[in-house]
Amino acid sequence: MNIHLSSHHLIPLDFKSLVSLPNSHTWAPSSSDHHPFPDSVPVIDLSDPNATPLVRRACEKWGVFQVTNHGVPMNLIKQTQLQTHRLFALPRDQKLRVLRSPDGFSGYGSARISDNFPKLMWSEGFSMMGSPLEHARQLWPRHHANFCNVMEEYQKEMKGLAAKLIELMLRSLGLNNEDVKWLTHPQSLLQLNSYPVCPDPTRAMGLAPHTDSSLLTLLYQTTTGGLQVLVDGVSWAPVYPTAGALVVNVGDLMHILSNGCFKSVVHRAIVNKVHHRISIAYFYGPPWDVKISPLMKLTDHPPLYQPVTWKEYLGYKATHFNKALELIRNDGGEIQAN
Ligand SMILES: C=C1C[C@]23C[C@H]1CC[C@H]2[C@@]12CCC[C@@](C)(C(=O)O1)[C@H]2[C@@H]3C(=O)O
Ligand SMILES: O=C(O)CCC(=O)C(=O)O
Ligand SMILES: [Fe+2]
């Protein structure tokens, strides 16, 4: 009966059929909800001659910033948005045909982090690692080409921009690409998020608070806001949709690589009563099996973190969630990895 209470929390609700929030999706309010933060996330123009120090400051202080003049064609972003709406508008049983497997990386379903929370989220997602062709064929047997072309082109553009931003971040710390040779073969994942209209947004959660495990994440949140970032562990600052801008989140692996100089930002997505919101997230990181450790030039002895691969780190996130960083910290954190 309770299909949404399946063990792995993978199957999203049939949101459209609901007129009130089910108990499974009702979250208790948290105290930080009542401390809105006055300052807002920096917007950095990539063509600004001062961009490098601005990026450093933003990564140290916030772990997040928005970029304009990033060079990704607006037309492509709009096309990607359109194809995202097209996918989520499909009938539920059709989307369920491409359900992500519990340990898989591609397909339709609830966010991976669902298992770490007692309540379920008001969202659905579609993940693509590499080409979406196989799934797109199942969704649109004769009309998948458009979806695939747009998603592949978007991945290509994001890859270029991510590489540029990593270089900028490293340069801001006095380093360069020579220090991260493994990044010539990056691993990435494109995630489409959908947040249906919600009958009771104040008690629902679109995407629960988390940090991304990537080196960095590039997010397009359309004109419907909903992304919030945690500041000083106590207040939620909205990230205001800015025309044509992309949001850059520093992920846990970048925090590790920078020996703690850059913050990985805790963020969440809230929902609303009026607009169906979508967002498009591109996670960028090292090849699965490459050990990431704090860059030597930034490191005292011993470095802050032990070497870890993205794959191993995802395992730690699955078992320890927001304590995963502590697990690999060198200063003798409480918990031990084994
Ligand atoms: C390549 C990645 C990045 C993952 C894990 C793995 C596959 C799925 C990604 C997401 C996508 C949705 C938010 C997130 C927090 C989640 O639940 O699954 C992301 C997570 C992470 O950044 O850790
Ligand atoms: O929808 C958003 O604004 C946030 C999405 C996000 O944080 C993610 O996909 O990891
Ligand atoms: Fe995220």
Side-chain angles (χ1 to χ4, degrees), residues 9-13 15 83-85 87-90 92 94-101 104-114 121-129 135 139 147 151 189-196 206-207 276-281 283:
H9 297 179
L10 216 70
I11 305 176
L13 267 189
F15 296 103
Q83 292 298 329
T84 301
H85 277 293
L87 182 138
F88 290 115
L90 287 171
R92 173 175 156 80
Q94 217 156 318
K95 291 184 277 190
L96 290 180
R97 257 188 253 158
V98 296
L99 198 65
R100 203 177 68 233
S101 66
F105 287 99
S106 298
Y108 174 76
S110 296
R112 238 165 209 269
I113 54 170
S114 296
M121 301 174 205
W122 198 262
S123 59
E124 53 186 335
F126 183 76
S127 319
M128 289 161 272
M129 186 164 263
H135 283 151
L139 293 170
F147 181 87
M151 294 302 156
L189 183 125
L190 183 59
Q191 164 87 14
L192 312 177
N193 297 306
S194 156
Y195 307 92
L207 195 59
H276 173 206
R277 173 175 185 264
I278 61 147
S279 72
I280 304 163
F283 301 91

Short mmCIF file of all heavy atoms in Angstrom, two decimals, residues 9-13 15 83-85 87-90 92 94-101 104-114 121-129 135 139 147 151 189-196 206-207 276-281 283:
data_model
loop_
_atom_site.label_atom_id
_atom_site.label_comp_id
_atom_site.label_asym_id
_atom_site.label_seq_id
_atom_site.Cartn_x
_atom_site.Cartn_y
_atom_site.Cartn_z
N HIS A 9 13.34 4.30 -0.03
CA HIS A 9 12.81 5.65 -0.23
C HIS A 9 13.06 6.17 -1.64
O HIS A 9 13.28 7.36 -1.83
CB HIS A 9 13.46 6.64 0.76
CG HIS A 9 13.17 6.35 2.17
ND1 HIS A 9 13.68 7.10 3.19
CD2 HIS A 9 12.43 5.40 2.75
CE1 HIS A 9 13.27 6.63 4.35
NE2 HIS A 9 12.52 5.59 4.10
N LEU A 10 13.08 5.27 -2.58
CA LEU A 10 13.49 5.66 -3.92
C LEU A 10 12.34 6.20 -4.78
O LEU A 10 12.55 6.97 -5.70
CB LEU A 10 14.11 4.43 -4.61
CG LEU A 10 15.26 4.70 -5.52
CD1 LEU A 10 16.48 5.13 -4.72
CD2 LEU A 10 15.58 3.46 -6.33
N ILE A 11 11.13 5.75 -4.46
CA ILE A 11 10.00 6.08 -5.33
C ILE A 11 9.27 7.34 -4.86
O ILE A 11 8.72 7.35 -3.78
CB ILE A 11 9.03 4.89 -5.40
CG1 ILE A 11 9.79 3.63 -5.83
CG2 ILE A 11 7.88 5.19 -6.33
CD1 ILE A 11 8.96 2.37 -5.83
N PRO A 12 9.33 8.40 -5.67
CA PRO A 12 8.64 9.62 -5.26
C PRO A 12 7.13 9.44 -5.20
O PRO A 12 6.59 8.53 -5.84
CB PRO A 12 9.01 10.63 -6.35
CG PRO A 12 10.17 10.05 -7.08
CD PRO A 12 10.01 8.56 -6.96
N LEU A 13 6.46 10.28 -4.42
CA LEU A 13 5.00 10.27 -4.33
C LEU A 13 4.37 10.65 -5.66
O LEU A 13 5.02 11.25 -6.51
CB LEU A 13 4.58 11.36 -3.34
CG LEU A 13 4.38 11.04 -1.88
CD1 LEU A 13 3.75 12.25 -1.21
CD2 LEU A 13 3.48 9.82 -1.72
N PHE A 15 2.68 13.27 -6.50
CA PHE A 15 2.42 14.58 -5.90
C PHE A 15 1.12 15.21 -6.38
O PHE A 15 0.38 15.81 -5.61
CB PHE A 15 3.59 15.53 -6.17
CG PHE A 15 4.88 15.09 -5.55
CD1 PHE A 15 5.87 14.49 -6.32
CD2 PHE A 15 5.10 15.26 -4.20
CE1 PHE A 15 7.07 14.10 -5.75
CE2 PHE A 15 6.30 14.86 -3.61
CZ PHE A 15 7.28 14.27 -4.39
N GLN A 83 13.45 20.77 -21.75
CA GLN A 83 13.50 19.31 -21.78
C GLN A 83 13.29 18.73 -20.38
O GLN A 83 12.72 17.65 -20.22
CB GLN A 83 14.85 18.83 -22.35
CG GLN A 83 15.06 19.14 -23.82
CD GLN A 83 14.03 18.46 -24.72
OE1 GLN A 83 13.54 17.37 -24.43
NE2 GLN A 83 13.69 19.12 -25.82
N THR A 84 13.74 19.46 -19.36
CA THR A 84 13.53 19.02 -17.98
C THR A 84 12.03 19.02 -17.66
O THR A 84 11.50 18.05 -17.09
CB THR A 84 14.30 19.94 -17.01
OG1 THR A 84 15.69 19.90 -17.36
CG2 THR A 84 14.13 19.50 -15.57
N HIS A 85 11.34 20.08 -18.04
CA HIS A 85 9.88 20.14 -17.84
C HIS A 85 9.19 19.01 -18.61
O HIS A 85 8.26 18.39 -18.11
CB HIS A 85 9.32 21.50 -18.28
CG HIS A 85 9.45 22.54 -17.22
ND1 HIS A 85 8.75 22.49 -16.03
CD2 HIS A 85 10.23 23.66 -17.14
CE1 HIS A 85 9.07 23.53 -15.27
NE2 HIS A 85 9.97 24.25 -15.91
N LEU A 87 10.35 16.10 -19.34
CA LEU A 87 10.55 14.82 -18.67
C LEU A 87 9.62 14.68 -17.45
O LEU A 87 8.92 13.68 -17.31
CB LEU A 87 12.01 14.66 -18.24
CG LEU A 87 12.33 13.33 -17.55
CD1 LEU A 87 13.65 12.80 -18.05
CD2 LEU A 87 12.36 13.43 -16.05
N PHE A 88 9.61 15.69 -16.59
CA PHE A 88 8.83 15.53 -15.37
C PHE A 88 7.32 15.57 -15.62
O PHE A 88 6.54 15.12 -14.80
CB PHE A 88 9.26 16.56 -14.31
CG PHE A 88 10.63 16.27 -13.75
CD1 PHE A 88 11.70 17.13 -13.96
CD2 PHE A 88 10.86 15.10 -13.04
CE1 PHE A 88 12.96 16.85 -13.45
CE2 PHE A 88 12.12 14.80 -12.54
CZ PHE A 88 13.18 15.67 -12.74
N ALA A 89 6.91 16.13 -16.78
CA ALA A 89 5.48 16.17 -17.12
C ALA A 89 4.96 14.81 -17.58
O ALA A 89 3.75 14.61 -17.70
CB ALA A 89 5.24 17.21 -18.22
N LEU A 90 5.85 13.85 -17.80
CA LEU A 90 5.42 12.52 -18.24
C LEU A 90 4.58 11.85 -17.16
O LEU A 90 4.75 12.13 -15.97
CB LEU A 90 6.64 11.64 -18.53
CG LEU A 90 7.43 11.94 -19.80
CD1 LEU A 90 8.73 11.13 -19.81
CD2 LEU A 90 6.60 11.64 -21.04
N ARG A 92 3.32 9.31 -14.39
CA ARG A 92 4.11 8.68 -13.34
C ARG A 92 4.59 7.28 -13.70
O ARG A 92 5.76 6.93 -13.49
CB ARG A 92 3.24 8.66 -12.09
CG ARG A 92 3.77 7.92 -10.91
CD ARG A 92 2.82 8.13 -9.76
NE ARG A 92 2.91 7.06 -8.78
CZ ARG A 92 3.85 7.00 -7.85
NH1 ARG A 92 4.77 7.93 -7.79
NH2 ARG A 92 3.87 6.01 -7.00
N GLN A 94 5.24 6.03 -16.48
CA GLN A 94 6.30 6.08 -17.49
C GLN A 94 7.65 6.41 -16.84
O GLN A 94 8.67 5.82 -17.15
CB GLN A 94 5.95 7.12 -18.54
CG GLN A 94 6.34 6.71 -19.93
CD GLN A 94 5.51 7.44 -20.96
OE1 GLN A 94 4.29 7.60 -20.77
NE2 GLN A 94 6.14 7.92 -22.00
N LYS A 95 7.62 7.38 -15.91
CA LYS A 95 8.85 7.74 -15.21
C LYS A 95 9.35 6.56 -14.36
O LYS A 95 10.56 6.32 -14.25
CB LYS A 95 8.63 8.98 -14.33
CG LYS A 95 8.41 10.25 -15.12
CD LYS A 95 8.28 11.49 -14.25
CE LYS A 95 6.88 11.68 -13.70
NZ LYS A 95 6.69 13.00 -13.05
N LEU A 96 8.41 5.82 -13.79
CA LEU A 96 8.80 4.68 -12.93
C LEU A 96 9.48 3.57 -13.74
O LEU A 96 10.19 2.73 -13.18
CB LEU A 96 7.60 4.14 -12.15
CG LEU A 96 7.09 5.07 -11.05
CD1 LEU A 96 5.89 4.46 -10.33
CD2 LEU A 96 8.18 5.40 -10.03
N ARG A 97 9.28 3.58 -15.04
CA ARG A 97 9.94 2.58 -15.90
C ARG A 97 11.45 2.77 -15.94
O ARG A 97 12.19 1.86 -16.29
CB ARG A 97 9.40 2.70 -17.34
CG ARG A 97 8.40 1.62 -17.66
CD ARG A 97 8.06 1.68 -19.14
NE ARG A 97 6.72 2.21 -19.30
CZ ARG A 97 6.26 2.77 -20.42
NH1 ARG A 97 7.06 2.91 -21.46
NH2 ARG A 97 5.04 3.20 -20.49
N VAL A 98 11.90 4.01 -15.65
CA VAL A 98 13.35 4.25 -15.66
C VAL A 98 13.87 4.54 -14.26
O VAL A 98 14.82 5.30 -14.06
CB VAL A 98 13.73 5.40 -16.64
CG1 VAL A 98 13.40 5.03 -18.07
CG2 VAL A 98 13.05 6.71 -16.26
N LEU A 99 13.24 3.90 -13.28
CA LEU A 99 13.63 4.08 -11.88
C LEU A 99 15.11 3.74 -11.67
O LEU A 99 15.59 2.73 -12.18
CB LEU A 99 12.77 3.16 -11.00
CG LEU A 99 12.71 3.48 -9.52
CD1 LEU A 99 12.03 4.82 -9.29
CD2 LEU A 99 11.94 2.39 -8.78
N ARG A 100 15.79 4.59 -10.93
CA ARG A 100 17.20 4.35 -10.57
C ARG A 100 17.26 3.15 -9.65
O ARG A 100 16.41 2.99 -8.78
CB ARG A 100 17.69 5.60 -9.83
CG ARG A 100 19.18 5.83 -9.85
CD ARG A 100 19.51 7.13 -9.13
NE ARG A 100 19.25 7.04 -7.72
CZ ARG A 100 18.51 7.88 -7.02
NH1 ARG A 100 17.91 8.90 -7.60
NH2 ARG A 100 18.34 7.72 -5.73
N SER A 101 18.28 2.29 -9.83
CA SER A 101 18.38 1.16 -8.90
C SER A 101 19.01 1.68 -7.61
O SER A 101 19.70 2.70 -7.62
CB SER A 101 19.21 0.04 -9.51
OG SER A 101 20.53 0.47 -9.67
N GLY A 104 22.46 2.55 -8.05
CA GLY A 104 22.79 3.07 -9.38
C GLY A 104 22.96 4.59 -9.39
O GLY A 104 22.66 5.27 -8.42
N PHE A 105 23.45 5.10 -10.52
CA PHE A 105 23.70 6.53 -10.64
C PHE A 105 22.82 7.21 -11.69
O PHE A 105 22.83 8.43 -11.80
CB PHE A 105 25.17 6.78 -10.98
CG PHE A 105 26.08 6.55 -9.82
CD1 PHE A 105 26.78 5.36 -9.69
CD2 PHE A 105 26.22 7.51 -8.84
CE1 PHE A 105 27.60 5.14 -8.61
CE2 PHE A 105 27.04 7.31 -7.74
CZ PHE A 105 27.74 6.11 -7.62
N SER A 106 22.13 6.42 -12.49
CA SER A 106 21.30 7.02 -13.53
C SER A 106 19.85 6.60 -13.37
O SER A 106 19.56 5.47 -12.98
CB SER A 106 21.78 6.58 -14.91
OG SER A 106 23.10 7.02 -15.14
N GLY A 107 18.95 7.53 -13.68
CA GLY A 107 17.54 7.22 -13.67
C GLY A 107 16.71 8.13 -12.78
O GLY A 107 17.22 9.08 -12.20
N TYR A 108 15.44 7.77 -12.68
CA TYR A 108 14.44 8.56 -11.98
C TYR A 108 14.32 8.12 -10.53
O TYR A 108 14.46 6.93 -10.23
CB TYR A 108 13.10 8.38 -12.71
CG TYR A 108 11.92 9.03 -12.03
CD1 TYR A 108 11.74 10.41 -12.10
CD2 TYR A 108 10.99 8.26 -11.33
CE1 TYR A 108 10.65 11.01 -11.48
CE2 TYR A 108 9.90 8.86 -10.72
CZ TYR A 108 9.73 10.24 -10.80
OH TYR A 108 8.66 10.82 -10.18
N GLY A 109 14.03 9.06 -9.64
CA GLY A 109 13.78 8.67 -8.25
C GLY A 109 13.94 9.81 -7.27
O GLY A 109 14.16 10.95 -7.66
N SER A 110 13.83 9.47 -5.97
CA SER A 110 14.05 10.46 -4.91
C SER A 110 15.54 10.67 -4.72
O SER A 110 16.34 9.82 -5.10
CB SER A 110 13.45 9.96 -3.60
OG SER A 110 12.06 9.84 -3.73
N ALA A 111 15.90 11.79 -4.09
CA ALA A 111 17.32 12.08 -3.84
C ALA A 111 17.93 10.96 -3.01
O ALA A 111 17.29 10.39 -2.14
CB ALA A 111 17.46 13.42 -3.13
N ARG A 112 19.18 10.66 -3.31
CA ARG A 112 19.95 9.66 -2.59
C ARG A 112 19.94 9.87 -1.08
O ARG A 112 19.96 8.93 -0.29
CB ARG A 112 21.40 9.81 -3.01
CG ARG A 112 22.01 8.62 -3.58
CD ARG A 112 23.29 9.04 -4.26
NE ARG A 112 23.53 8.12 -5.34
CZ ARG A 112 24.25 7.00 -5.22
NH1 ARG A 112 24.84 6.69 -4.10
NH2 ARG A 112 24.37 6.17 -6.23
N ILE A 113 20.01 11.15 -0.67
CA ILE A 113 20.13 11.46 0.76
C ILE A 113 18.84 11.18 1.53
O ILE A 113 18.83 11.29 2.75
CB ILE A 113 20.57 12.93 1.00
CG1 ILE A 113 19.63 13.90 0.27
CG2 ILE A 113 22.01 13.14 0.56
CD1 ILE A 113 19.86 15.36 0.65
N SER A 114 17.77 10.79 0.82
CA SER A 114 16.49 10.51 1.49
C SER A 114 16.64 9.54 2.65
O SER A 114 15.99 9.68 3.68
CB SER A 114 15.48 9.93 0.50
OG SER A 114 15.19 10.87 -0.49
N MET A 121 10.99 13.84 1.09
CA MET A 121 11.10 15.17 0.49
C MET A 121 10.06 15.39 -0.59
O MET A 121 9.59 14.44 -1.22
CB MET A 121 12.50 15.35 -0.07
CG MET A 121 13.54 15.20 1.03
SD MET A 121 15.19 15.24 0.38
CE MET A 121 16.02 14.31 1.67
N TRP A 122 9.74 16.66 -0.79
CA TRP A 122 8.74 17.04 -1.79
C TRP A 122 9.46 17.30 -3.13
O TRP A 122 9.54 18.42 -3.61
CB TRP A 122 7.98 18.29 -1.32
CG TRP A 122 6.69 18.49 -2.05
CD1 TRP A 122 6.48 19.32 -3.11
CD2 TRP A 122 5.44 17.85 -1.76
NE1 TRP A 122 5.17 19.21 -3.53
CE2 TRP A 122 4.51 18.33 -2.71
CE3 TRP A 122 5.01 16.91 -0.82
CZ2 TRP A 122 3.18 17.91 -2.75
CZ3 TRP A 122 3.69 16.49 -0.84
CH2 TRP A 122 2.79 16.99 -1.80
N SER A 123 10.01 16.23 -3.67
CA SER A 123 10.74 16.38 -4.92
C SER A 123 10.93 15.05 -5.62
O SER A 123 10.74 13.98 -5.03
CB SER A 123 12.12 17.02 -4.67
OG SER A 123 12.87 16.23 -3.78
N GLU A 124 11.30 15.13 -6.86
CA GLU A 124 11.66 13.96 -7.66
C GLU A 124 12.88 14.37 -8.49
O GLU A 124 13.11 15.56 -8.70
CB GLU A 124 10.50 13.54 -8.56
CG GLU A 124 9.98 14.69 -9.40
CD GLU A 124 8.73 14.39 -10.21
OE1 GLU A 124 8.45 13.23 -10.54
OE2 GLU A 124 8.04 15.38 -10.56
N GLY A 125 13.66 13.40 -8.93
CA GLY A 125 14.86 13.75 -9.68
C GLY A 125 15.13 12.76 -10.81
O GLY A 125 14.57 11.67 -10.85
N PHE A 126 15.97 13.20 -11.73
CA PHE A 126 16.42 12.32 -12.80
C PHE A 126 17.92 12.53 -12.97
O PHE A 126 18.36 13.65 -13.23
CB PHE A 126 15.66 12.61 -14.11
CG PHE A 126 16.04 11.70 -15.24
CD1 PHE A 126 15.55 10.38 -15.28
CD2 PHE A 126 16.87 12.12 -16.27
CE1 PHE A 126 15.89 9.52 -16.33
CE2 PHE A 126 17.21 11.27 -17.32
CZ PHE A 126 16.72 9.97 -17.34
N SER A 127 18.69 11.46 -12.78
CA SER A 127 20.16 11.57 -12.82
C SER A 127 20.72 10.96 -14.08
O SER A 127 20.23 9.93 -14.56
CB SER A 127 20.78 10.82 -11.64
OG SER A 127 20.05 11.04 -10.46
N MET A 128 21.76 11.59 -14.60
CA MET A 128 22.43 11.08 -15.80
C MET A 128 23.92 11.05 -15.57
O MET A 128 24.54 12.07 -15.31
CB MET A 128 22.16 12.02 -16.98
CG MET A 128 20.75 11.97 -17.50
SD MET A 128 20.38 13.45 -18.46
CE MET A 128 19.81 14.53 -17.18
N MET A 129 24.48 9.85 -15.66
CA MET A 129 25.93 9.74 -15.66
C MET A 129 26.30 9.39 -17.08
O MET A 129 26.00 8.30 -17.56
CB MET A 129 26.35 8.67 -14.67
CG MET A 129 27.84 8.62 -14.51
SD MET A 129 28.24 7.72 -13.05
CE MET A 129 28.48 8.99 -11.91
N HIS A 135 17.84 5.46 -21.20
CA HIS A 135 16.60 5.82 -20.50
C HIS A 135 15.68 6.66 -21.38
O HIS A 135 14.46 6.48 -21.37
CB HIS A 135 16.92 6.56 -19.20
CG HIS A 135 17.37 5.63 -18.12
ND1 HIS A 135 18.24 6.01 -17.12
CD2 HIS A 135 17.07 4.34 -17.88
CE1 HIS A 135 18.45 4.99 -16.31
NE2 HIS A 135 17.77 3.95 -16.75
N LEU A 139 11.65 6.35 -22.39
CA LEU A 139 10.66 7.39 -22.09
C LEU A 139 9.95 7.87 -23.35
O LEU A 139 8.75 8.12 -23.35
CB LEU A 139 11.34 8.57 -21.41
CG LEU A 139 11.89 8.29 -20.01
CD1 LEU A 139 12.74 9.46 -19.52
CD2 LEU A 139 10.76 8.02 -19.02
N PHE A 147 15.95 15.36 -26.49
CA PHE A 147 16.34 15.31 -25.08
C PHE A 147 17.83 14.99 -24.96
O PHE A 147 18.58 15.70 -24.27
CB PHE A 147 15.50 14.27 -24.34
CG PHE A 147 15.82 14.17 -22.87
CD1 PHE A 147 15.19 15.01 -21.95
CD2 PHE A 147 16.75 13.25 -22.40
CE1 PHE A 147 15.49 14.93 -20.59
CE2 PHE A 147 17.05 13.16 -21.04
CZ PHE A 147 16.42 14.00 -20.13
N MET A 151 20.83 17.46 -23.50
CA MET A 151 21.51 17.09 -22.26
C MET A 151 23.02 16.88 -22.49
O MET A 151 23.84 17.27 -21.66
CB MET A 151 20.91 15.82 -21.65
CG MET A 151 19.48 16.01 -21.16
SD MET A 151 19.34 17.33 -19.93
CE MET A 151 17.62 17.81 -20.11
N LEU A 189 28.19 14.17 -13.05
CA LEU A 189 26.82 13.67 -13.03
C LEU A 189 25.87 14.85 -13.19
O LEU A 189 26.04 15.88 -12.55
CB LEU A 189 26.54 12.96 -11.69
CG LEU A 189 25.17 12.32 -11.57
CD1 LEU A 189 25.29 10.85 -11.23
CD2 LEU A 189 24.31 13.01 -10.53
N LEU A 190 24.90 14.68 -14.10
CA LEU A 190 23.90 15.73 -14.31
C LEU A 190 22.60 15.30 -13.66
O LEU A 190 22.11 14.20 -13.89
CB LEU A 190 23.70 15.97 -15.82
CG LEU A 190 22.74 17.08 -16.22
CD1 LEU A 190 23.17 18.44 -15.68
CD2 LEU A 190 22.63 17.16 -17.76
N GLN A 191 22.07 16.19 -12.81
CA GLN A 191 20.88 15.85 -12.01
C GLN A 191 19.79 16.88 -12.27
O GLN A 191 20.00 18.07 -12.06
CB GLN A 191 21.30 15.85 -10.53
CG GLN A 191 20.18 15.89 -9.52
CD GLN A 191 19.66 14.50 -9.19
OE1 GLN A 191 20.29 13.49 -9.50
NE2 GLN A 191 18.50 14.44 -8.57
N LEU A 192 18.63 16.40 -12.75
CA LEU A 192 17.48 17.30 -12.92
C LEU A 192 16.60 17.14 -11.69
O LEU A 192 16.28 16.02 -11.29
CB LEU A 192 16.70 16.92 -14.19
CG LEU A 192 17.52 16.70 -15.46
CD1 LEU A 192 16.61 16.25 -16.61
CD2 LEU A 192 18.28 17.97 -15.84
N ASN A 193 16.24 18.25 -11.05
CA ASN A 193 15.38 18.20 -9.86
C ASN A 193 14.04 18.83 -10.16
O ASN A 193 13.97 19.86 -10.84
CB ASN A 193 16.01 18.97 -8.70
CG ASN A 193 17.32 18.37 -8.23
OD1 ASN A 193 17.38 17.18 -7.93
ND2 ASN A 193 18.38 19.17 -8.19
N SER A 194 12.98 18.23 -9.64
CA SER A 194 11.64 18.78 -9.82
C SER A 194 10.95 18.90 -8.46
O SER A 194 10.96 17.96 -7.67
CB SER A 194 10.84 17.86 -10.74
OG SER A 194 9.45 17.98 -10.53
N TYR A 195 10.41 20.09 -8.20
CA TYR A 195 9.71 20.35 -6.93
C TYR A 195 8.28 20.75 -7.27
O TYR A 195 8.01 21.92 -7.56
CB TYR A 195 10.42 21.47 -6.16
CG TYR A 195 11.90 21.22 -5.95
CD1 TYR A 195 12.85 21.71 -6.85
CD2 TYR A 195 12.35 20.50 -4.85
CE1 TYR A 195 14.22 21.48 -6.66
CE2 TYR A 195 13.71 20.27 -4.66
CZ TYR A 195 14.63 20.76 -5.57
OH TYR A 195 15.97 20.53 -5.38
N PRO A 196 7.36 19.78 -7.22
CA PRO A 196 5.98 20.10 -7.60
C PRO A 196 5.37 21.14 -6.65
O PRO A 196 5.85 21.33 -5.54
CB PRO A 196 5.27 18.76 -7.46
CG PRO A 196 6.35 17.73 -7.53
CD PRO A 196 7.55 18.37 -6.91
N GLY A 206 11.82 20.51 0.19
CA GLY A 206 12.09 20.13 -1.20
C GLY A 206 13.30 19.21 -1.27
O GLY A 206 13.23 18.09 -1.79
N LEU A 207 14.40 19.68 -0.74
CA LEU A 207 15.63 18.88 -0.64
C LEU A 207 16.24 19.24 0.70
O LEU A 207 16.50 20.42 0.97
CB LEU A 207 16.56 19.21 -1.82
CG LEU A 207 17.72 18.26 -2.10
CD1 LEU A 207 17.22 16.85 -2.40
CD2 LEU A 207 18.55 18.75 -3.28
N HIS A 276 5.57 25.26 -9.90
CA HIS A 276 6.35 24.03 -10.01
C HIS A 276 7.78 24.50 -10.28
O HIS A 276 8.04 25.20 -11.25
CB HIS A 276 5.82 23.19 -11.18
CG HIS A 276 6.66 21.99 -11.49
ND1 HIS A 276 6.70 21.42 -12.74
CD2 HIS A 276 7.50 21.27 -10.72
CE1 HIS A 276 7.53 20.39 -12.73
NE2 HIS A 276 8.03 20.28 -11.51
N ARG A 277 8.72 24.10 -9.41
CA ARG A 277 10.10 24.57 -9.58
C ARG A 277 10.98 23.43 -10.09
O ARG A 277 10.81 22.29 -9.66
CB ARG A 277 10.64 25.07 -8.24
CG ARG A 277 12.12 25.43 -8.25
CD ARG A 277 12.52 26.05 -6.91
NE ARG A 277 13.90 26.49 -6.96
CZ ARG A 277 14.94 25.79 -6.51
NH1 ARG A 277 14.75 24.59 -5.98
NH2 ARG A 277 16.15 26.27 -6.61
N ILE A 278 11.89 23.75 -11.00
CA ILE A 278 12.90 22.76 -11.38
C ILE A 278 14.28 23.37 -11.14
O ILE A 278 14.44 24.59 -11.06
CB ILE A 278 12.77 22.31 -12.85
CG1 ILE A 278 12.96 23.49 -13.80
CG2 ILE A 278 11.47 21.58 -13.13
CD1 ILE A 278 13.63 23.09 -15.09
N SER A 279 15.27 22.51 -10.99
CA SER A 279 16.65 22.99 -10.96
C SER A 279 17.51 21.96 -11.67
O SER A 279 17.12 20.79 -11.82
CB SER A 279 17.13 23.24 -9.53
OG SER A 279 17.33 22.01 -8.86
N ILE A 280 18.67 22.41 -12.15
CA ILE A 280 19.56 21.56 -12.94
C ILE A 280 20.94 21.61 -12.30
O ILE A 280 21.55 22.68 -12.26
CB ILE A 280 19.59 22.05 -14.40
CG1 ILE A 280 18.16 22.09 -14.98
CG2 ILE A 280 20.50 21.17 -15.25
CD1 ILE A 280 18.01 22.93 -16.22
N ALA A 281 21.39 20.48 -11.76
CA ALA A 281 22.66 20.46 -11.03
C ALA A 281 23.68 19.60 -11.75
O ALA A 281 23.38 18.48 -12.18
CB ALA A 281 22.44 19.93 -9.61
N PHE A 283 27.29 17.94 -11.10
CA PHE A 283 28.32 17.61 -10.09
C PHE A 283 29.61 17.25 -10.81
O PHE A 283 29.61 16.40 -11.69
CB PHE A 283 27.86 16.43 -9.24
CG PHE A 283 26.57 16.69 -8.52
CD1 PHE A 283 25.35 16.37 -9.10
CD2 PHE A 283 26.57 17.28 -7.27
CE1 PHE A 283 24.15 16.63 -8.45
CE2 PHE A 283 25.38 17.54 -6.61
CZ PHE A 283 24.17 17.21 -7.20
#
